[in-house]
Amino acid sequence: MASPYFIIFEKTFSMIIPELADIRDAYSRIKPFIHHTPVLTSQQLNELFNCELFFKCENFQKVGAFKFRGATNAVMSLSSEEKLRGVITHSSGNHAAALALAARMNGIKANIVMPENAPFVKKNAVAGYGAEITFCKPTLHDREDTTRQIMEKTGATLIHPYDNFNVICGQGTSALELLMEKEDLEIVIAPIGGGGLMSGTSTCTKGINKNIQVIGAEPKNANDAFISFTTGILTPSVNPVTCADGLLTSLSELTFSVIRKNVDNILTAKEDSIIECMLLVWERMKIIIEPSSATVLAIVKENPGLFRGKKIGLIISGGNVDFRKLPF
């Protein structure tokens, strides 16, 4: 298959839409290097929400998030020449750590541009994986401008956090594992930020069984995907404020195209519901998930009539919590 072509900063690109076969190829490529994460259940939560919940726990993935899947697939898909020049991305957290580790495991230099206000725990993780970090002002313009300067100086290949064909295919392997284990699901729910996870999840799920409903979960305070999906017009967020810091980014043209094709609905959750559901999982399941992950359970809580009696797969996107900044 031809490689996708992007010139991100000039906002021009030709899009290749991923298919199930691409996700299966990605899984074959990365399977030896990723964790096959568990699918956990909780009888208490099933009774509380009146449905059967199956949690695909990417909080147990390497770097503590699903992002390692996409980063690994992108790095392993590079040519020999591209590997010599290294990789670069701009990210405030999980993707930065994922790319840093994937690059180190493949003997490739990683340049990471991070906003200076990124969570302390995520700065430490990226540094610990051996990446070269450049800090910048916390604006999209500064992130992109700093990244462009480093690319011009080093020739490094941009691995965008979500606007990247190979990243999306890697992210879809989480849903592939989930459906290999629980093929009788009626609904699959995943969080939506930039849309990479949802693009991969929806492509995989609909490719395997078009009758499974695919639903996106998003904070009400950062609801660009909901607005874009509802209106059919790509509408970025403007300075969103939410405890779900992993879902602050807006959809790209690529992820919006995939989501419009494969997603059945997008629902939003209030901040107090996200926090309540995060704590419920901590307390009842004894696992740590981050607020972004809790959005999938929060929309079940807020829409009981839609989910009552259903078998539901929930993609738990990560478990990287900065306990110094807990929102309570």
Side-chain angles (χ1 to χ4, degrees), residues 294-310:
T295 57
V296 294
L297 188 58
I299 68 166
V300 175
K301 173 185 180 293
E302 291 191 14
N303 300 275
L306 292 179
F307 300 107
R308 186 176 295 113
K310 302 292 186 180

Side-chain angles (χ1 to χ4, degrees), residues 275-310:
I275 297 302
E276 179 184 342
C277 287
M278 181 179 75
L279 293 177
L280 269 174
V281 172
W282 287 16
E283 293 170 354
R284 306 296 175 90
M285 298 182 70
K286 311 306 179 189
I287 63 173
I288 298 299
I289 68 171
E290 59 190 75
S292 300
S293 299
T295 57
V296 294
L297 188 58
I299 68 166
V300 175
K301 173 185 180 293
E302 291 191 14
N303 300 275
L306 292 179
F307 300 107
R308 186 176 295 113
K310 302 292 186 180

Side-chain angles (χ1 to χ4, degrees), residues 17-34:
I17 303 298
E19 298 178 358
L20 177 60
D22 300 310
I23 294 172
R24 292 193 190 278
D25 287 345
Y27 190 57
S28 297
R29 187 177 299 116
I30 69 176
K31 186 177 179 181
F33 308 100
I34 62 171

